[in-house]
Amino acid sequence: MAKRVLVTDDTAFMRMSLKNVLEKNGYEVVGEAADGEESVELFKELKPDVVTMDITMPKMDGITAIKKILEVDPDAKVIVCSAMGQKPMVLEALNAGAKDFLVKPFQPERIIEALRKIAG
Amino acid sequence: MDFSEYKDVFAAEAREYIQSLNENLLEFEQNPQDAQLIAEMFRAAHSLKGMAGTMGYNKLADLTHYMENLLDALRDGLLGVTEELINTLFASVDILEVMLDEVIATDGIVTDTTLIKEQLIRILDEDASSETPKLSRPMDLQQGAVELPLNEYDRELIKEAVAKDFRPFAVTIVLRDDVLMKSVRAYTVFQALERLGTIAKSVPSAEDLDEERFDDRFTVLFFTHYSPEEIRDVALGVPEVIEADVNDVSLERTGPLPIGEHTEGEEDKTARVDVSSLVAAAAGKSATTERAAERFVRVETERLDELNNLVGELVISRTQVAEVARHLDGTHARAAVAQLDRVTTELQYAAMKLRMVPVKQVFDRFPRMVRDLAKNAAKTINLQVVGEETELDRSLMNQIGDPLVHLIRNSVDHGLETAEVRREQGKAPAGNIRLEARHEGSHVVIEIADDGRGIDPDKIKQKAVENGMITEEEAAKLSDSEAQALIFQAGFSTTEEITDVSGRGVGMDAVRAALDSMNGSVEIESEVGKGTTVALRLPLTLAIIRALLVQAGRETCAIPIQSVRENLRVEPKAIKTIHGERVITLRNEVLPILDLPQLLGFEASKHQGDLPIIVVEGGSAKAGLIIDELLGQQEVVIKSLSSMLGDIQGVAGATVLGDGTVALILDISAVLHELSADHR
């Protein structure tokens, strides 16, 4: 069965392109969240296999959202997405429990490698 | 993909990288053996490349890519350090800066980078083909298999681990060569391995990994109960890991590199840390950067200006409220007003501090400038920069750049001699320029000192007489320092030969005018053959000044304290009239006397007995102002008049005093300038 992914990013364009890449490679995007708060809510509701999480977002940032999601499910697999030069934040996200990270601009091949290695 | 929201951050960060490239290049020119500098420049170019690529500024990314190649060859010892190479790198950095300005302004790049790229490629091709490496290659950047040298401490650790039934492994991890954020990637590998055991040591060190001082691979000393296959699987389970080589470590086989041949100090440091601190080191460094980053917020300067304006208004309202409260009964009102007073004062200072920026912002460009100017003038010059952390009002900072550029150019072009001349005079062949900023009371002093030929007062006098600025007799009476001060007069120049950047003396009047407009002053001290020191004295801030309050007719006037030289009482009969001009003689100096009330359009002051006179100086003129009454000295907040009244000659602005009355702040140099213009 296809792995179910929840995509989190405040830009619709980013969500769209991620979804595109994922669906072409056999993943099912079950939800899209535009901020951390929405992501946590959708996570509880949808129980996806993997969450992709942008860091800088309105309402609730990605790092806080990762912590909340892990409170709900300590085994949740979250991949944090960041821009170049956000290294400290990526480290913080990894320490908070993110399983891996992706660097923007996204390259389909890397996204799939990370998804495959993290979600199986 | 749209990254425009990151543009400001990109611009600011790119600027920092370019500045760091500039600084490191300058240092590298002095110490071409310093591998650390090459590594830092490489990293700066690399970061720029990544950032520019993400933003879609491909030309910028492209040029940094070629720079990176050159720096890479340099650190691999494949290239010799030549002047051409260094100049080419400098030129590349300049072009990067131009492109950065372009993308900030228009988002597009029109600069043509073909030539510079060709130049970079040519240097790389020419030199890389020559056989012998000219630079030894730093160990921690070594490509190929990373060896795991063991020192005594490591051996102890291994013995302990083995005693506890752990198996010691050397795990070499190879990352794909275009790995992004490779330090973070290394960190995730550490995280993954730590789930199976403990990492006792890493080569390159955890610190080097964190700073991205490694190529595509690193080796860790790893203690675990798991099998080599399991370790391999976990390591390969980390994205971007393409190879994981797991080997047994035995104490008999200590690796091909004997301890000590490796960079010794580094090794020792790594060896002594335990597992937890090793991992902490990998993360800890970034944690510090993160904390540092969190301490700063970028704010538009307009917002700061707005805040400062509002605070200025508040200060005035506070003064008015205090005045009203004085007529109220009851301690409550007074206590409340006293509290308001305290808070407002603190707020005023806090807002003022927001305007302060370190002079480093301006000073930063000078090492590079001096280097280029010195090259053009075929001189060797050492620039020493002191006190660059000294803070100054931001608006002053914007205005101080040009005068400083001018003074430094003067020092390089005219102050400092060529190496031969210096040798003949028994000086060191390299000239020295010291640029220093420091606090002096409520002022910031910026000094530009050189150890060059100095300013010859006799030449100055001669020139001044030729220009008709002074007569022969006047010239004869001038002291050396008075003569030297003549170069600040408008139209003075002793230029004998003009270089492409500056003529000697030309523009010193502009420097003075700039300082006057900032409520500052400039002094010069020079000794023939020894050198010249120019000191710029600036107020800490433009928003608040200390002023002398005087009564002139019905008006209260504030005279900025910088313009005030002294305060006299003069007998009416001491005032003489020469050529229809009223003057007094003060310590052998003839001083014109002006009646301030009259100047402002009131009746001339009528005094019984001695006249109160304020001696003021501004714009190289000096005069005594007769006033009606001296009221005292206080700090005043400058409010601009320009929005309502436009610029009024002689008035710098207005301020509101405690009783709500408005006092005009006099611009003394403008007052005196008008006066001298009237007389011509």
Side-chain angles (χ1 to χ4, degrees), chain A residues 13-14 82-88 90-92 94-95 100-101 103-107 109-110 113-114 117, chain B residues 1 3 5 50 54 176 178-181 183-185 187-188 191 210 236-241 283 286 290:
Chain A
F13 174 73
M14 220 52 146
S82 89
M84 286 282 202
Q86 281 190 316
K87 181 174 151 186
V90 176
L91 285 174
E92 198 180 334
L94 290 170
N95 286 328
D100 203 55
F101 66 99
V103 183
K104 297 176 191 175
F106 294 139
Q107 286 154 309
E109 169 218 357
R110 287 180 205 255
E113 185 196 359
K117 285 190 171 177
Chain B
M1 250 166 255
F3 285 97
E5 59 179 309
T54 304
R176 56 186 282 177
D178 59 349
V179 57
L180 295 166
M181 280 198 200
S183 56
V184 183
R185 181 49 71 207
Y187 182 66
T188 58
Q191 272 190 327
D210 183 48
L236 286 174
V238 177
E240 295 181 308
V241 172
S286 349
E290 181 192 348

Side-chain angles (χ1 to χ4, degrees), chain B residues 356-363 387-392 397:
Chain B
M356 307 296 271
V357 284
V359 293
K360 184 175 190 320
Q361 287 188 2
V362 175
F363 281 15
E388 54 187 3
E389 70 289 344
T390 312
E391 289 190 329
L392 199 61
M397 199 70 77

